[in-house]
Structure formats: C-alpha cells, structure tokens
Amino acid sequence: MSLLQIDEKEAKKLYKETVRELLEEEGLIGSIWKMDRMLLECVGYGERWIVDHICNHPYVIKHQIAVKFGGEWTFKAKRIVEFIDMYYPELGVNHKRGVVKQ
C-alpha cells in the first residue's frame, strides 16, 4: 500500500504544462512573439532600436520574420532567434537610416 496517491492524469497535465513553459522560455516553441518578448531578448535596447536594427533588417523584411499588425510588431519566434544568432555581429547597423552605431 502506497502512502501517496497520485492522480496520473493531473500529473501528466502538470508535466506537459511545465515542459511547454520551459520550451517557450528557450524560444524553441511558441510561434509568435510580441514586442514585450523581444525587449526581454534584447536586454538593454528599447523598442525603437529593435525596429531600426532588427525589424528593418533586409533579411527580416525579405523573410517576413517581423510583421507589423495593427500598429503592433509580431515576430516568428524560432526564426527571429535564428536571425539574431546568425546576424548578431551586424546588429549595430541601423537599417532604417543606414548608419553604423559604434
């Protein structure tokens, strides 16, 4: 006889929720991010910087990784993480103005 009774259905539900939260935090799932999430990813930079340096980047525009819907920017989560990893060294370029920030 067991001293603990575990509701397997409830335990599986909690496990799935926890795994999903962890994967979302890592950017591995969750199809769409809003600007609030991008601000967390780009610590120290504001919304204007993200728009000028990321949203206006030619690669992001060409592949529609960031799109403005009704005045709010949305991002394809997995693709924007890949973009930041791939283009990190050149994110100092303000693509809206064509200016390099030192």
Side-chain angles (χ1 to χ4, degrees):
M1 184 171 122
S2 174
L3 296 176
L4 295 173
Q5 288 192 4
I6 298 173
D7 181 345
E8 281 189 47
K9 191 175 182 180
E10 187 64 25
K12 284 181 183 179
K13 180 182 170 190
L14 290 172
Y15 175 77
K16 286 181 180 179
E17 288 173 4
T18 302
V19 169
R20 181 171 183 79
E21 286 175 15
L22 291 171
L23 290 172
E24 284 177 352
E25 286 175 10
E26 293 298 317
L28 299 174
I29 63 168
S31 57
I32 302 294
W33 286 353
K34 292 187 177 186
M35 184 58 79
D36 291 346
R37 177 59 191 260
M38 281 300 293
L39 289 166
L40 292 174
E41 294 296 320
C42 299
V43 177
Y45 295 100
E47 186 172 340
R48 181 82 259 145
W49 186 91
I50 293 170
V51 171
D52 290 348
H53 294 82
I54 295 176
C55 298
N56 290 313
H57 191 283
Y59 182 89
V60 172
I61 293 168
K62 179 180 178 184
H63 293 83
Q64 296 181 330
I65 299 172
V67 180
K68 195 170 189 178
F69 289 114
E72 184 173 0
W73 283 97
T74 57
F75 305 84
K76 292 180 183 176
K78 186 174 181 180
R79 298 287 309 274
I80 201 68
V81 169
E82 292 168 354
F83 164 79
I84 291 170
D85 285 344
M86 188 168 46
Y87 285 94
Y88 182 77
E90 73 173 63
L91 289 181
V93 176
N94 182 330
H95 290 280
K96 184 173 184 179
R97 296 182 181 84
V99 176
V100 177
K101 181 180 178 184
Q102 300 291 330

mmCIF file of all heavy atoms in Angstrom, residues 28-51:
data_model
loop_
_atom_site.group_PDB
_atom_site.id
_atom_site.type_symbol
_atom_site.label_atom_id
_atom_site.label_comp_id
_atom_site.label_asym_id
_atom_site.label_seq_id
_atom_site.Cartn_x
_atom_site.Cartn_y
_atom_site.Cartn_z
ATOM 1 N N LEU A 28 12.120 27.784 -28.183
ATOM 2 C CA LEU A 28 12.079 26.608 -29.037
ATOM 3 C C LEU A 28 10.679 26.317 -29.548
ATOM 4 O O LEU A 28 10.509 25.621 -30.542
ATOM 5 C CB LEU A 28 12.629 25.389 -28.287
ATOM 6 C CG LEU A 28 14.077 25.529 -27.843
ATOM 7 C CD1 LEU A 28 14.489 24.343 -27.000
ATOM 8 C CD2 LEU A 28 14.988 25.686 -29.048
ATOM 9 N N ILE A 29 9.670 26.799 -28.850
ATOM 10 C CA ILE A 29 8.303 26.712 -29.348
ATOM 11 C C ILE A 29 7.616 28.028 -29.054
ATOM 12 O O ILE A 29 8.171 28.894 -28.393
ATOM 13 C CB ILE A 29 7.503 25.543 -28.723
ATOM 14 C CG1 ILE A 29 7.347 25.743 -27.209
ATOM 15 C CG2 ILE A 29 8.109 24.211 -29.062
ATOM 16 C CD1 ILE A 29 6.347 24.805 -26.578
ATOM 17 N N GLY A 30 6.412 28.150 -29.514
ATOM 18 C CA GLY A 30 5.695 29.415 -29.385
ATOM 19 C C GLY A 30 5.887 30.135 -30.690
ATOM 20 O O GLY A 30 6.962 30.652 -30.966
ATOM 21 N N SER A 31 4.907 30.089 -31.521
ATOM 22 C CA SER A 31 5.103 30.536 -32.891
ATOM 23 C C SER A 31 5.257 32.044 -33.034
ATOM 24 O O SER A 31 5.957 32.502 -33.912
ATOM 25 C CB SER A 31 3.954 30.028 -33.776
ATOM 26 O OG SER A 31 2.715 30.470 -33.260
ATOM 27 N N ILE A 32 4.619 32.808 -32.178
ATOM 28 C CA ILE A 32 4.623 34.269 -32.342
ATOM 29 C C ILE A 32 5.029 34.946 -31.039
ATOM 30 O O ILE A 32 4.552 34.601 -29.966
ATOM 31 C CB ILE A 32 3.210 34.770 -32.738
ATOM 32 C CG1 ILE A 32 2.723 34.108 -34.020
ATOM 33 C CG2 ILE A 32 3.195 36.283 -32.868
ATOM 34 C CD1 ILE A 32 3.505 34.450 -35.252
ATOM 35 N N TRP A 33 5.947 35.893 -31.167
ATOM 36 C CA TRP A 33 6.312 36.754 -30.040
ATOM 37 C C TRP A 33 5.800 38.146 -30.335
ATOM 38 O O TRP A 33 5.716 38.572 -31.479
ATOM 39 C CB TRP A 33 7.817 36.866 -29.894
ATOM 40 C CG TRP A 33 8.505 35.661 -29.347
ATOM 41 C CD1 TRP A 33 7.958 34.535 -28.844
ATOM 42 C CD2 TRP A 33 9.920 35.498 -29.258
ATOM 43 N NE1 TRP A 33 8.933 33.671 -28.446
ATOM 44 C CE2 TRP A 33 10.147 34.235 -28.688
ATOM 45 C CE3 TRP A 33 11.009 36.291 -29.606
ATOM 46 C CZ2 TRP A 33 11.423 33.742 -28.445
ATOM 47 C CZ3 TRP A 33 12.273 35.810 -29.371
ATOM 48 C CH2 TRP A 33 12.480 34.546 -28.791
ATOM 49 N N LYS A 34 5.515 38.879 -29.275
ATOM 50 C CA LYS A 34 5.187 40.300 -29.395
ATOM 51 C C LYS A 34 6.414 41.096 -28.975
ATOM 52 O O LYS A 34 7.423 40.538 -28.559
ATOM 53 C CB LYS A 34 3.983 40.630 -28.527
ATOM 54 C CG LYS A 34 2.713 39.980 -29.048
ATOM 55 C CD LYS A 34 1.516 40.450 -28.281
ATOM 56 C CE LYS A 34 0.269 39.827 -28.893
ATOM 57 N NZ LYS A 34 -0.931 40.348 -28.288
ATOM 58 N N MET A 35 6.314 42.401 -29.074
ATOM 59 C CA MET A 35 7.440 43.276 -28.764
ATOM 60 C C MET A 35 7.915 43.092 -27.321
ATOM 61 O O MET A 35 9.116 43.156 -27.050
ATOM 62 C CB MET A 35 7.087 44.738 -29.026
ATOM 63 C CG MET A 35 8.228 45.700 -28.821
ATOM 64 S SD MET A 35 9.691 45.378 -29.833
ATOM 65 C CE MET A 35 9.193 46.080 -31.402
ATOM 66 N N ASP A 36 7.003 42.811 -26.398
ATOM 67 C CA ASP A 36 7.403 42.613 -24.995
ATOM 68 C C ASP A 36 8.440 41.503 -24.870
ATOM 69 O O ASP A 36 9.410 41.630 -24.127
ATOM 70 C CB ASP A 36 6.186 42.261 -24.131
ATOM 71 C CG ASP A 36 5.228 43.419 -23.957
ATOM 72 O OD1 ASP A 36 5.615 44.560 -24.279
ATOM 73 O OD2 ASP A 36 4.098 43.183 -23.506
ATOM 74 N N ARG A 37 8.253 40.429 -25.601
ATOM 75 C CA ARG A 37 9.213 39.318 -25.555
ATOM 76 C C ARG A 37 10.535 39.723 -26.199
ATOM 77 O O ARG A 37 11.611 39.376 -25.722
ATOM 78 C CB ARG A 37 8.630 38.087 -26.247
ATOM 79 C CG ARG A 37 9.582 36.908 -26.324
ATOM 80 C CD ARG A 37 10.029 36.446 -24.922
ATOM 81 N NE ARG A 37 11.118 35.510 -24.985
ATOM 82 C CZ ARG A 37 11.013 34.200 -24.870
ATOM 83 N NH1 ARG A 37 9.833 33.655 -24.682
ATOM 84 N NH2 ARG A 37 12.071 33.441 -24.942
ATOM 85 N N MET A 38 10.470 40.480 -27.306
ATOM 86 C CA MET A 38 11.704 40.936 -27.955
ATOM 87 C C MET A 38 12.500 41.857 -27.039
ATOM 88 O O MET A 38 13.720 41.826 -27.041
ATOM 89 C CB MET A 38 11.394 41.635 -29.278
ATOM 90 C CG MET A 38 11.105 40.682 -30.409
ATOM 91 S SD MET A 38 12.483 39.562 -30.774
ATOM 92 C CE MET A 38 13.693 40.710 -31.406
ATOM 93 N N LEU A 39 11.808 42.668 -26.265
ATOM 94 C CA LEU A 39 12.502 43.542 -25.317
ATOM 95 C C LEU A 39 13.252 42.717 -24.270
ATOM 96 O O LEU A 39 14.344 43.095 -23.846
ATOM 97 C CB LEU A 39 11.515 44.505 -24.643
ATOM 98 C CG LEU A 39 10.966 45.604 -25.554
ATOM 99 C CD1 LEU A 39 9.768 46.290 -24.914
ATOM 100 C CD2 LEU A 39 12.038 46.606 -25.924
ATOM 101 N N LEU A 40 12.680 41.585 -23.871
ATOM 102 C CA LEU A 40 13.373 40.690 -22.940
ATOM 103 C C LEU A 40 14.596 40.061 -23.594
ATOM 104 O O LEU A 40 15.641 39.900 -22.970
ATOM 105 C CB LEU A 40 12.437 39.578 -22.455
ATOM 106 C CG LEU A 40 11.284 40.000 -21.564
ATOM 107 C CD1 LEU A 40 10.361 38.816 -21.299
ATOM 108 C CD2 LEU A 40 11.802 40.565 -20.250
ATOM 109 N N GLU A 41 14.476 39.697 -24.854
ATOM 110 C CA GLU A 41 15.584 39.064 -25.582
ATOM 111 C C GLU A 41 16.712 40.056 -25.857
ATOM 112 O O GLU A 41 17.873 39.683 -25.867
ATOM 113 C CB GLU A 41 15.087 38.479 -26.910
ATOM 114 C CG GLU A 41 14.118 37.334 -26.755
ATOM 115 C CD GLU A 41 14.715 36.116 -26.086
ATOM 116 O OE1 GLU A 41 15.873 35.771 -26.376
ATOM 117 O OE2 GLU A 41 14.016 35.500 -25.261
ATOM 118 N N CYS A 42 16.361 41.294 -26.111
ATOM 119 C CA CYS A 42 17.347 42.331 -26.453
ATOM 120 C C CYS A 42 17.566 43.249 -25.248
ATOM 121 O O CYS A 42 17.375 44.464 -25.325
ATOM 122 C CB CYS A 42 16.865 43.135 -27.663
ATOM 123 S SG CYS A 42 16.638 42.146 -29.144
ATOM 124 N N VAL A 43 17.972 42.669 -24.161
ATOM 125 C CA VAL A 43 18.164 43.396 -22.905
ATOM 126 C C VAL A 43 19.033 44.621 -23.135
ATOM 127 O O VAL A 43 20.088 44.555 -23.758
ATOM 128 C CB VAL A 43 18.818 42.479 -21.848
ATOM 129 C CG1 VAL A 43 19.102 43.230 -20.569
ATOM 130 C CG2 VAL A 43 17.938 41.277 -21.586
ATOM 131 N N GLY A 44 18.575 45.747 -22.629
ATOM 132 C CA GLY A 44 19.353 46.977 -22.739
ATOM 133 C C GLY A 44 18.989 47.822 -23.952
ATOM 134 O O GLY A 44 19.428 48.964 -24.065
ATOM 135 N N TYR A 45 18.214 47.269 -24.852
ATOM 136 C CA TYR A 45 17.795 48.020 -26.033
ATOM 137 C C TYR A 45 16.292 48.215 -25.979
ATOM 138 O O TYR A 45 15.550 47.358 -25.517
ATOM 139 C CB TYR A 45 18.170 47.282 -27.319
ATOM 140 C CG TYR A 45 19.654 47.163 -27.521
ATOM 141 C CD1 TYR A 45 20.320 45.986 -27.214
ATOM 142 C CD2 TYR A 45 20.396 48.244 -28.000
ATOM 143 C CE1 TYR A 45 21.696 45.873 -27.393
ATOM 144 C CE2 TYR A 45 21.763 48.146 -28.173
ATOM 145 C CZ TYR A 45 22.405 46.952 -27.862
ATOM 146 O OH TYR A 45 23.755 46.849 -28.036
ATOM 147 N N GLY A 46 15.847 49.349 -26.479
ATOM 148 C CA GLY A 46 14.432 49.663 -26.458
ATOM 149 C C GLY A 46 13.729 49.285 -27.750
ATOM 150 O O GLY A 46 14.331 48.779 -28.699
ATOM 151 N N GLU A 47 12.459 49.555 -27.757
ATOM 152 C CA GLU A 47 11.619 49.225 -28.912
ATOM 153 C C GLU A 47 12.103 49.909 -30.182
ATOM 154 O O GLU A 47 12.144 49.314 -31.253
ATOM 155 C CB GLU A 47 10.167 49.610 -28.620
ATOM 156 C CG GLU A 47 9.206 49.184 -29.697
ATOM 157 C CD GLU A 47 7.754 49.396 -29.311
ATOM 158 O OE1 GLU A 47 7.440 49.506 -28.114
ATOM 159 O OE2 GLU A 47 6.937 49.456 -30.242
ATOM 160 N N ARG A 48 12.489 51.184 -30.087
ATOM 161 C CA ARG A 48 12.960 51.919 -31.277
ATOM 162 C C ARG A 48 14.188 51.244 -31.883
ATOM 163 O O ARG A 48 14.313 51.100 -33.089
ATOM 164 C CB ARG A 48 13.288 53.363 -30.875
ATOM 165 C CG ARG A 48 13.759 54.248 -31.999
ATOM 166 C CD ARG A 48 12.585 54.803 -32.815
ATOM 167 N NE ARG A 48 12.468 54.023 -34.037
ATOM 168 C CZ ARG A 48 11.322 53.709 -34.644
ATOM 169 N NH1 ARG A 48 10.181 54.096 -34.169
ATOM 170 N NH2 ARG A 48 11.303 53.007 -35.730
ATOM 171 N N TRP A 49 15.130 50.806 -31.026
ATOM 172 C CA TRP A 49 16.327 50.131 -31.507
ATOM 173 C C TRP A 49 15.958 48.825 -32.207
ATOM 174 O O TRP A 49 16.501 48.504 -33.258
ATOM 175 C CB TRP A 49 17.285 49.853 -30.343
ATOM 176 C CG TRP A 49 18.597 49.279 -30.791
ATOM 177 C CD1 TRP A 49 19.722 49.980 -31.106
ATOM 178 C CD2 TRP A 49 18.912 47.895 -31.002
ATOM 179 N NE1 TRP A 49 20.727 49.108 -31.491
ATOM 180 C CE2 TRP A 49 20.243 47.823 -31.442
ATOM 181 C CE3 TRP A 49 18.200 46.715 -30.862
ATOM 182 C CZ2 TRP A 49 20.873 46.627 -31.733
ATOM 183 C CZ3 TRP A 49 18.831 45.507 -31.159
ATOM 184 C CH2 TRP A 49 20.156 45.476 -31.596
ATOM 185 N N ILE A 50 15.059 48.060 -31.615
ATOM 186 C CA ILE A 50 14.640 46.791 -32.211
ATOM 187 C C ILE A 50 14.031 47.020 -33.587
ATOM 188 O O ILE A 50 14.341 46.311 -34.546
ATOM 189 C CB ILE A 50 13.660 46.045 -31.282
ATOM 190 C CG1 ILE A 50 14.403 45.592 -30.013
ATOM 191 C CG2 ILE A 50 13.011 44.865 -31.997
ATOM 192 C CD1 ILE A 50 13.504 45.062 -28.909
ATOM 193 N N VAL A 51 13.202 48.036 -33.713
ATOM 194 C CA VAL A 51 12.586 48.333 -35.010
ATOM 195 C C VAL A 51 13.655 48.747 -36.020
ATOM 196 O O VAL A 51 13.706 48.216 -37.136
ATOM 197 C CB VAL A 51 11.504 49.435 -34.879
ATOM 198 C CG1 VAL A 51 11.032 49.903 -36.242
ATOM 199 C CG2 VAL A 51 10.328 48.916 -34.051
#
